[in-house]
Amino acid sequence: MPAKAVKMFVTDMNGAFREKVNGSGNFVITFSSVGRASVVKDFTVKAGTKEVDFGTLTISDATTELGQVNIVAQKPLVKADVDKIEYNVQDDPDSQSNSLLEMLRKVPLVTVDGEDNIKVNGSSSFKVYVNGKPNNMMSNNPTEVLKSMPANSIKHIEVITNPGPKYDAEGVGGILNIVTVGSGVEGYTATFSANASTTGAGGGLFGTVKSGKLTVSGRYNYNRSYGPRNYSESQQHTEVEGLTKDAGSTGSSKSRGDFQSGSVEASYDIDTLRMVSLSFGLWGGGNNSNGLSDYVATSLQHGGYQYANSNRSKSSWYSIDGGLDYQRISRKVKERMFTLSYKINTRPENSDSHFDYDIAPVYDAYWDAEVKQLIGQRTDGSQNTTEHTFQADYTTPIGKLHTIEGGVKYIMRNNQSENDLYKQDVAAGTDTLDQHRTSHYKHLNDIIAGYLGYGLKVKRLSGRVGLRYEHTIQNVKYLLGPGANFKKHFNDLVPSASLGYKITDMSNIRVGYNMRIYRPGIYLLNPYIDDSNPKAISQGNSKLDNEKSHSFNLSYSNFTQKFNLNLSLSYSFVNNSIESVTTVVNDNDIPGLQNPTGKSDVLYTTYQNIGKSRNLNLSGYVNWNASSTTRVYANLYGGYVNMKGANGLKNDGWNMFAYGGIQQSFPHDWRISLNIMGQTPWVQLQGKGTSFSDYSLSLYKSFLKKRLTLSAFVGNFFTKYSEFKNETSGIGFSSSSLYKLVRRRFGFSVSYRIGELRASVKKAARSIVNDDVKSGGGGGGGQGGD
């Protein structure tokens, strides 16, 4: 065999070749192919010979086989783009046993505190999308929904911190885009899963099938929850014009509920350039709860009184949506695209609550007016939002470096709210509607928007700038109860810009600016007076304006096989933020309150555009693959906030959140993971929250070539309860609350996959995303409709 090759070449797809070789004499030619035996042939080229024809050569399969090969490597769970960060939930073993809410604690720029309140980029105002489309029910009730969703039905989560001009201008912290397994798996496949724990049980299934040009996927999950009994305490102190009052209560509550979600997606290829996609989704559930509490009020001047309160409630909330998209790609320029979209969504919510009072018979006459307010009552509430959205988008490249995008959008949104209060007539055994304390009203929105964006990509540099215009017509009508009809117009110009530089193939740096607006939702606007607790009355504010936020951010990412790092520094400010404000007032001064005592000082909570906040935050995500079988990770978030409001209200302070853990793989598909987390008290305009810590341990085992997976977990196993304390203070009052919630938990889950993977449901590259509403209440985006 010659020591050196004089010529090397590759045949075509059919094995044919023609190659020129200089010189004459004896030659050896060798044909090699992966998985085949080499063919070696000697030949001679005589002087003057112009061509040598080898005819047809036969090649055979190799007779030797490789032994078992184990490829061991850990997939990176996080990757960063110029405007978003993506966390790969599907490749994290903890997703087999955790809820989606638990997995959120690992996602960069996201924090979930001990009471399951969610913040994105330091803000509780954010929007939730599913597969690139908005889900307003999840945005309004993120804690309840995400707590009920099994994480093994999720592919990855995107944190979009710099939304471009094509996104609606709402969402201060950004956007959480949850991509389910239905949008990423390929081909015919079906997965069945089940789970059970000390707090509930559930199951789910997912399937995809393809026939010709039509591809359809479907997914359904159901979860039943059993909330163990939790305990609470509260203290309230007021001092007005020399009169000192103290009140305290102790209580307990227990709940059970169910959650279900499902979706169907289909796509049809009309031809190679045109596609139609259809989607339908259902999310929602219900909850039943009951509670008991004892209340004591005292005064140095007038003694006190006490009563026992029992309550029970039933609620339900759903979101039903459908969408149709048409996409047309240019024949000459594949990146040139035109999309038409339509979306319909309705979100009905209902609640029914009962309050009964058992009053101690002996008390000072001074308290007589307050005691008479403690009449058994029932409240029936219903809210519904129905919206129709029409949208057109166009994007095209200009040369190899530039991209232009633009579009128009129209949203027709109808919000309705009905809150009925019934008084109990014990003697007659009936309930009577109190029309003075009942509210029916409509909140109609017409939103017209247009946007234009420009993108540039030059070698390692990429950037994007855009401008969005939104005109909102807000029409509020009061059908029953207090309030005067009114109509408002809003005009908003929303700029955005981002710039990224690829330092190496493994690292990049990004800088961005974006402005966001927040339209108050129906929960914040509703003027209904909630006086079920006559000492703590709350009410919405129909005169709220849009809130505007400006944010600047700087990020650095470095992802290697061994070490992953993402750092994000951000500064944001708001000059008219919507804040919950609590004051001590005489109940006679509350507009619309029926039968005030005229001498009772109560805590009155409402919402106002009085907030001025400055936030400086640093977020860090670290992943170290210590070996091919060991992963160590941490998600850190901390910052400083300065808040100011009207009447001298102000507060500032530091806060920090940390989540970390270690995962270890063993032979025969065994895995174990340990996670710990902690947080410092968060800062509010009129007080502070609570510190918190937690830990969990999980074990996993896969069978049948990883088609069958079993997992078990335990959390907070040394102590049953965790305590959470909140403090609020203002001029003339202070209050605190203490909650003891069950955090000890045990559980297991099982999943089994069948089928082959070949095709996926296609989706339009552009689709409708409505994210323009700020909600109220707890749990991140808040509760209630919008």
Side-chain angles (χ1 to χ4, degrees):
M1 181 71 67
K4 182 179 180 180
V6 296
K7 192 76 173 181
M8 301 182 71
F9 57 90
V10 179
T11 69
D12 64 15
M13 294 296 294
N14 297 317
F17 67 93
R18 179 181 294 272
E19 197 69 29
K20 182 178 180 180
V21 178
N22 296 324
S24 59
N26 297 323
F27 293 83
V28 178
I29 186 169
T30 302
F31 299 90
S32 302
S33 180
V34 176
R36 304 295 180 88
S38 297
V39 175
V40 180
K41 189 173 183 63
D42 298 322
F43 67 98
T44 302
V45 179
K46 298 179 180 180
T49 301
K50 293 185 177 180
E51 185 174 289
V52 177
D53 187 355
F54 290 96
T56 300
L57 301 174
T58 302
I59 191 168
S60 61
D61 291 337
T63 58
T64 58
E65 294 185 0
L66 290 173
Q68 181 178 357
V69 178
N70 291 321
I71 301 175
V72 181
Q74 301 200 54
K75 294 182 180 180
L77 297 180
V78 174
K79 65 179 182 180
D81 203 347
V82 67
D83 58 354
K84 66 182 179 182
I85 292 176
E86 179 183 304
Y87 187 86
N88 193 329
V89 176
Q90 196 173 36
D91 289 335
D92 189 331
D94 285 348
S95 66
Q96 299 301 316
S97 60
N98 283 344
S99 70
L100 183 55
L101 186 71
E102 289 292 327
M103 295 302 297
L104 272 182
R105 291 189 165 101
K106 294 187 173 188
V107 178
L109 299 175
V110 179
T111 61
V112 183
D113 67 22
E115 296 177 89
D116 296 334
N117 298 307
I118 307 168
K119 290 187 177 182
V120 176
N121 207 20
S123 172
S124 58
S125 298
F126 60 90
K127 288 299 166 183
V128 181
Y129 293 53
V130 178
N131 298 327
K133 298 181 180 181
N135 189 289
N136 290 319
M137 190 274 296
M138 294 183 70
S139 295
N140 296 333
N141 305 274
T143 295
E144 296 300 324
V145 177
L146 300 181
K147 185 188 298 183
S148 304
M149 289 186 67
N152 59 11
S153 65
I154 307 302
K155 184 180 181 183
H156 64 259
I157 299 173
E158 297 174 349
V159 184
I160 304 174
T161 56
N162 283 313
K166 69 177 180 180
Y167 292 96
D168 291 329
E170 204 277 338
V172 70
I175 296 168
L176 284 182
N177 182 30
I178 300 171
V179 180
T180 64
V181 292
S183 62
V185 296
E186 298 183 348
Y188 154 68
T189 182
T191 301
F192 306 88
S193 62
N195 65 84
S197 71
T198 51
T199 59
L205 59 90
F206 161 77
T208 294
V209 63
K210 177 178 173 61
S211 177
K213 295 183 178 181
L214 178 66
T215 305
V216 180
S217 71
R219 179 186 59 82
Y220 179 78
N221 288 98
Y222 176 83
N223 197 74
R224 181 73 171 174
S225 64
Y226 302 95
R229 186 165 295 277
N230 298 310
Y231 299 88
S232 64
E233 299 177 12
S234 67
Q235 300 291 330
Q236 178 182 318
H237 174 81
T238 61
E239 187 172 347
V240 180
E241 296 179 353
L243 180 62
T244 300
K245 296 181 182 179
D246 290 282
S249 68
T250 59
S252 66
S253 63
K254 191 173 183 178
S255 66
R256 66 182 187 274
D258 59 83
F259 171 80
Q260 57 183 327
S261 67
S263 64
V264 176
E265 297 175 338
S267 67
Y268 181 78
D269 297 318
I270 302 174
D271 52 36
T272 57
L273 302 177
R274 295 176 297 168
M275 181 193 71
V276 175
S277 60
L278 180 69
S279 64
F280 171 81
L282 167 69
W283 309 75
N287 187 72
N288 292 297
S289 65
N290 61 79
L292 299 169
S293 63
D294 293 309
Y295 181 91
V296 178
T298 61
S299 168
L300 293 176
Q301 294 87 347
H302 302 285
Y305 71 96
Q306 61 184 8
Y307 66 86
N309 168 246
S310 63
N311 62 81
R312 61 191 186 278
S313 64
K314 183 178 181 180
S315 63
S316 66
W317 34 269
Y318 284 92
S319 176
I320 305 168
D321 60 71
L324 178 64
D325 300 299
Y326 168 78
Q327 178 176 288
R328 176 70 161 83
I329 300 175
S330 170
R331 186 182 303 275
K332 295 182 179 180
V333 183
K334 296 298 183 183
E335 293 80 10
R336 183 175 297 153
M337 187 185 309
F338 175 70
T339 305
L340 288 174
S341 302
Y342 168 73
K343 176 182 172 69
I344 183 173
N345 176 259
T346 182
R347 301 186 296 281
E349 299 182 30
N350 293 280
S351 63
D352 184 13
S353 301
H354 296 257
F355 301 89
D356 298 304
Y357 301 92
D358 184 10
I359 306 168
V362 179
Y363 54 87
D364 189 279
Y366 171 84
W367 302 102
D368 190 58
E370 285 191 21
V371 171
K372 287 183 178 179
Q373 290 182 318
L374 300 175
I375 301 173
Q377 56 187 257
R378 173 172 63 89
T379 61
D380 286 339
S382 66
Q383 299 182 56
N384 185 51
T385 296
T386 300
E387 64 182 29
H388 301 267
T389 306
F390 305 86
Q391 183 170 321
D393 299 279
Y394 178 74
T395 181
T396 181
I398 301 177
K400 296 182 178 180
L401 305 179
H402 313 277
T403 302
I404 296 290
E405 62 178 356
V408 293
K409 184 176 186 177
Y410 171 62
I411 304 174
M412 182 171 58
R413 179 178 294 141
N414 182 359
N415 301 297
Q416 298 185 65
S417 176
E418 296 183 0
N419 297 93
D420 299 326
L421 188 142
Y422 297 84
K423 290 183 178 179
Q424 293 180 358
D425 188 335
V426 179
T430 60
D431 295 336
T432 304
L433 177 67
D434 187 342
Q435 294 194 9
H436 297 290
R437 300 167 69 187
T438 291
S439 173
H440 292 188
Y441 101 125
K442 286 186 177 182
H443 176 209
L444 309 177
N445 272 340
D446 289 281
I447 303 168
I448 304 167
Y451 74 90
L452 183 65
Y454 166 75
L456 172 68
K457 191 170 185 179
V458 182
K459 296 182 179 179
R460 294 181 176 271
L461 185 68
S462 61
R464 186 180 65 189
V465 295
L467 184 65
R468 183 180 184 90
Y469 169 75
E470 294 189 356
H471 177 72
T472 305
I473 304 171
Q474 187 179 89
N475 191 3
V476 177
K477 299 179 179 180
Y478 297 93
L479 308 179
L480 182 63
N485 298 347
F486 68 90
K487 192 172 185 178
K488 280 186 176 183
H489 291 257
F490 300 96
N491 291 284
D492 296 288
L493 280 174
V494 183
S496 63
S498 59
L499 185 67
Y501 180 74
K502 195 173 183 180
I503 303 171
T504 68
D505 290 340
M506 301 294 183
S507 62
N508 61 74
I509 189 170
R510 307 174 303 279
V511 62
Y513 160 78
N514 66 80
M515 171 187 165
R516 312 296 288 160
I517 65 172
Y518 312 95
R519 301 181 182 92
I522 196 170
Y523 181 92
L524 304 180
L525 293 167
N526 194 345
Y528 174 73
I529 298 177
D530 181 0
D531 60 349
S532 55
N533 180 352
K535 299 298 293 182
I537 299 173
S538 62
Q539 182 183 26
N541 181 3
S542 60
K543 298 181 180 181
L544 292 174
D545 288 328
N546 288 354
E547 176 184 317
K548 297 181 180 180
S549 169
H550 302 266
S551 177
F552 304 85
N553 57 81
L554 174 66
S555 302
Y556 169 78
S557 300
N558 189 349
F559 300 105
T560 66
Q561 187 63 37
K562 198 77 173 176
F563 191 78
N564 297 342
L565 174 67
N566 185 85
L567 297 174
S568 297
L569 178 67
S570 65
Y571 173 76
S572 62
F573 66 91
V574 181
N575 289 325
N576 68 331
S577 65
I578 299 172
E579 301 291 344
S580 172
V581 180
T582 300
T583 54
V584 177
V585 300
N586 187 288
D587 60 3
N588 201 45
D589 296 330
I590 300 177
L593 180 65
Q594 296 298 309
N595 303 316
T597 66
K599 59 179 181 179
S600 178
D601 296 312
V602 301
L603 293 184
Y604 175 60
T605 301
T606 187
Y607 300 93
Q608 299 178 23
N609 287 100
I610 64 168
K612 291 186 177 181
S613 65
R614 305 292 183 264
N615 295 270
L616 180 65
N617 297 306
L618 177 64
S619 171
Y621 172 83
V622 181
N623 184 93
W624 174 43
N625 295 328
S627 70
S628 60
T629 59
T630 306
R631 184 199 304 272
V632 182
Y633 49 86
N635 182 25
L636 309 172
Y637 191 93
Y640 174 79
V641 59
N642 184 290
M643 309 175 72
K644 294 181 180 180
N647 302 320
L649 291 176
K650 62 180 180 179
N651 202 0
D652 67 286
W654 296 86
N655 61 83
M656 184 174 180
F657 169 88
Y659 185 99
I662 182 171
Q663 292 176 351
Q664 179 66 50
S665 298
F666 299 96
H668 308 296
D669 292 325
W670 285 91
R671 299 185 304 276
I672 190 171
S673 68
L674 173 66
N675 297 300
I676 58 175
M677 67 159 288
Q679 70 169 38
T680 61
W682 68 90
V683 178
Q684 303 171 114
L685 181 59
Q686 289 184 273
K688 64 179 181 178
T690 185
S691 58
F692 174 73
S693 62
D694 195 79
Y695 52 89
S696 63
L697 182 68
S698 303
L699 180 67
Y700 317 88
K701 169 63 177 171
S702 297
F703 304 88
L704 305 176
K705 297 182 179 180
K706 297 187 177 182
R707 289 180 177 268
L708 174 65
T709 301
L710 302 179
S711 62
F713 74 92
V714 57
N716 217 53
F717 40 85
F718 289 121
T719 55
K720 183 177 181 180
Y721 291 96
S722 293
E723 294 187 351
F724 305 92
K725 186 175 183 180
N726 298 313
E727 297 177 353
T728 304
S729 61
I731 300 174
F733 82 96
S734 64
S735 67
S736 65
S737 61
L738 176 68
Y739 299 94
K740 292 179 61 176
L741 307 181
V742 175
R743 295 292 299 177
R744 180 185 293 167
R745 55 203 185 276
F746 307 87
F748 69 91
S749 65
V750 57
S751 66
Y752 182 69
R753 175 177 56 84
I754 63 174
E756 301 295 333
L757 307 179
R758 293 190 186 120
S760 63
V761 175
K762 296 182 179 179
K763 299 179 181 179
R766 300 298 171 109
S767 188
I768 288 175
V769 287
N770 291 344
D771 59 350
D772 60 301
V773 179
K774 179 171 183 176
S775 304
Q783 299 174 348
D786 59 347

